[in-house]
Amino acid sequence: MKITKVLGLSFILFAFIGTSFPEAVHAKDPAAVLDVFGHEVQAGARYLIVAPSTDNTATLAVTINGQVLCNSDVILSTLNESLPITFSPVIKSTDGVIREGTHLNVNFAGPSAMCPMVGVTPMWKIRFSTSAKGFIVTTGGVDTLNRFKITKYEGDNSFYQLSFCPISEPFCECSCVLLGVNGDKNLVPGAGPLLVMFEPDE
């Protein structure tokens, strides 16, 4: 009888704490990723990924090396050559907001019909490049198997950094690796961090 009363009181106390202090029971969502204007980055909306140049002479932006949107390497180039991208969470969010540290698919915004092969997409992925002598970011990815994430750069809160999060189905999940730029301006894992901001593509 005493045990029943204790359990009943414990349940009531927990319910009271949960209604009075919901943050004690429910974990908060990760912080929203913000664009250059301080607005929340939205899933499916078009953005330019921009980065400061090392010599402060121009703004750099992510684009592709070549004319075909699919099966092209992702590079850093001048802003006037930039291509818009979209983000889509691997686990769909209820509010459509892109949040820090969540797994994302990254796509260049363009019709899939521009891809010359069936099943090939403008989605970012990683491949090994013999010319670069290492892994680089390219296009032609498959949904959920090519995961990236956005996190704040600790050295300056106005910038973000991109990471590639490899996955080996079905059991092994590996640590995320920061993306940077090599000598040929390819976006590559392990050479980071590349500091970036997100500019809405009007």
Side-chain angles (χ1 to χ4, degrees):
M1 185 67 177
K2 288 182 179 180
I3 294 176
T4 304
K5 287 182 178 180
V6 170
L7 289 175
L9 289 173
S10 298
F11 177 79
I12 293 171
L13 180 60
F14 181 79
F16 172 75
I17 293 173
T19 54
S20 301
F21 308 99
E23 64 274 11
V25 179
H26 302 289
K28 290 184 178 179
D29 288 332
V33 176
L34 303 179
D35 65 20
V36 295
F37 302 111
H39 302 144
E40 295 177 342
V41 172
Q42 300 291 320
R46 294 160 59 108
Y47 295 91
L48 301 177
I49 299 179
V50 296
S53 66
T54 54
D55 59 5
N56 295 318
T57 58
T59 301
L60 303 179
V62 170
T63 184
I64 57 171
N65 184 18
Q67 301 297 316
V68 181
L69 191 59
C70 305
N71 286 331
S72 294
D73 301 335
V74 179
I75 62 171
L76 203 62
S77 187
T78 56
L79 186 60
N80 61 356
E81 297 175 328
S82 62
L83 292 172
I85 55 89
T86 62
F87 300 109
S88 57
V90 171
I91 299 176
K92 307 303 180 191
S93 63
T94 56
D95 56 7
V97 174
I98 299 300
R99 299 190 178 278
E100 294 179 28
T102 57
H103 290 149
L104 307 168
N105 292 318
V106 183
N107 285 272
F108 279 113
S112 297
M114 295 181 66
C115 302
M117 297 174 61
V118 175
V120 176
T121 71
M123 182 182 293
W124 287 16
K125 70 173 185 179
I126 298 290
R127 75 170 179 86
F128 185 82
S129 168
T130 53
S131 59
K133 298 180 180 179
F135 289 94
I136 62 174
V137 180
T138 186
T139 55
V142 178
D143 191 22
T144 74
L145 296 182
N146 300 278
R147 306 175 312 168
F148 295 82
K149 74 175 181 180
I150 302 168
T151 52
K152 271 286 189 183
Y153 176 62
E154 293 182 358
D156 186 335
N157 281 334
S158 60
F159 290 102
Y160 292 92
Q161 53 196 7
L162 301 170
S163 297
F164 171 66
C165 301
I167 185 170
S168 178
E169 296 289 358
F171 303 114
C172 175
E173 184 172 328
C174 307
S175 299
C176 298
V177 182
L178 287 172
L179 296 181
V181 177
N182 66 11
D184 294 323
K185 300 298 184 183
N186 293 101
L187 211 59
V188 297
L194 172 67
L195 309 186
V196 298
M197 303 177 77
F198 307 102
E199 181 180 323
D201 181 46
E202 302 296 341

